[in-house]
Amino acid sequence: MDQPTGLGAIRNLDYTILLCEDVAVMRAFYVDVLGFDVRHEIPGLWTELQVGASLLALRLRGRPYDGPAPEPGAASIQLAFRVPPAEVEVAAAQLAEREVEPLEPVTDLADFGHRVLFFADPEGNVIEIYAEI
């Protein structure tokens, strides 16, 4: 059987890149608050973070095709990170200790079968910590 080529050869989403106004501030949040490990970086321009088997990269916004930053209060992306069910409440408590305000209380979304916690990073991107219930 022939192997897929070109676009047909895509099999995984290897990493997600967040376009940032301030990579250092975002790096501090994702490393110091969320505890992600830095894999590689070019200070102020690019930071690669290991998140389980995936990579989350922070890149300085500035290429001609990046477009303008979103208006304050408008998210560009929502990132969802899965944890075991008992860990959603633990994560909420840890974020509170680190003075990160939730966007809404921990809740169960029965239609999705998820227990969820939503909060925002320093540039307004929505972050979800969820568990399948």
Side-chain angles (χ1 to χ4, degrees):
M1 179 172 200
D2 291 338
Q3 292 292 322
T5 61
L7 297 175
I10 295 172
R11 293 292 177 260
N12 294 303
L13 175 63
D14 291 324
Y15 60 97
T16 300
I17 300 171
L18 294 182
L19 302 180
C20 305
E21 294 300 305
D22 190 329
V23 172
V25 167
M26 294 287 277
R27 178 197 189 283
F29 179 81
Y30 283 93
V31 172
D32 299 339
V33 174
L34 297 185
F36 297 163
D37 293 324
V38 175
R39 181 173 175 220
H40 174 74
E41 68 184 320
I42 303 167
L45 297 176
W46 175 269
T47 299
E48 244 174 54
L49 305 165
Q50 193 73 50
V51 185
S54 298
L55 295 175
L56 177 63
L58 310 172
R59 176 173 68 78
L60 185 64
R61 181 183 295 277
R63 294 185 179 161
Y65 47 80
D66 288 347
E71 295 294 321
S76 292
I77 193 168
Q78 178 173 322
L79 301 172
F81 300 104
R82 184 175 44 193
V83 298
E87 300 306 315
V88 176
E89 296 287 347
V90 174
Q94 290 172 326
L95 288 167
E97 289 170 3
R98 296 169 188 168
E99 301 180 356
V100 176
E101 295 290 326
L103 296 173
E104 57 186 70
V106 172
T107 190
D108 291 341
L109 299 178
D111 291 346
F112 291 94
H114 290 172
R115 170 166 283 254
V116 296
L117 165 64
F118 294 102
F119 56 99
D121 71 18
E123 293 193 6
N125 298 302
V126 176
I127 301 173
E128 173 185 355
I129 294 179
Y130 79 98
E132 294 178 346
I133 54 173

